[in-house]
Amino acid sequence: MNVFWTDKAVEQLAAIHAYVSQVSPQYADRLVDRITRRTEQIESFPVSGRMVPEMQLEQIREVIESGYRIIYYVGQAQIDILAVLHGAQKTSL
């Protein structure tokens, strides 16, 4: 199953990179790389993530990477990355 990044999720990932790179551009690059590589797990095992507690929908799941929640929707034909949020942030989809 293919993974598709929504515009919102791409913007959030770019904002994470911009914020972290203020302190360490190298760490920001590694962090974004780890987050994007984590989607390989989602691609291979779509239901491996837990259901998002705030949503309680079987199709909306999340995996955690380096303190960031990667929230995604498991559809029939593809997986949509909906959001990338720091664990302390509230979910706003």
Side-chain angles (χ1 to χ4, degrees), residues 25-66:
Q26 295 84 11
Y27 180 72
D29 291 343
R30 287 194 307 267
L31 176 61
V32 168
D33 185 52
R34 280 197 309 273
I35 290 171
T36 55
R37 279 187 298 153
R38 183 72 161 173
T39 62
E40 293 172 11
Q41 171 195 338
I42 297 168
E43 186 173 35
S44 299
F45 304 101
V47 293
S48 63
R50 71 177 187 160
M51 285 183 8
V52 175
E54 303 93 310
M55 303 304 231
Q56 292 298 309
L57 294 172
E58 184 73 26
Q59 301 90 342
I60 299 180
R61 299 184 162 267
E62 70 180 351
V63 292
I64 309 296
E65 180 59 50
S66 302

Side-chain angles (χ1 to χ4, degrees), residues 5-6 11 18 25-26 42-43 59 63 69 72 83 86 90:
W5 284 73
T6 63
E11 290 170 9
Q26 295 84 11
I42 297 168
E43 186 173 35
Q59 301 90 342
V63 292
R69 301 169 69 190
Y72 61 98
H86 190 274
K90 292 187 179 191

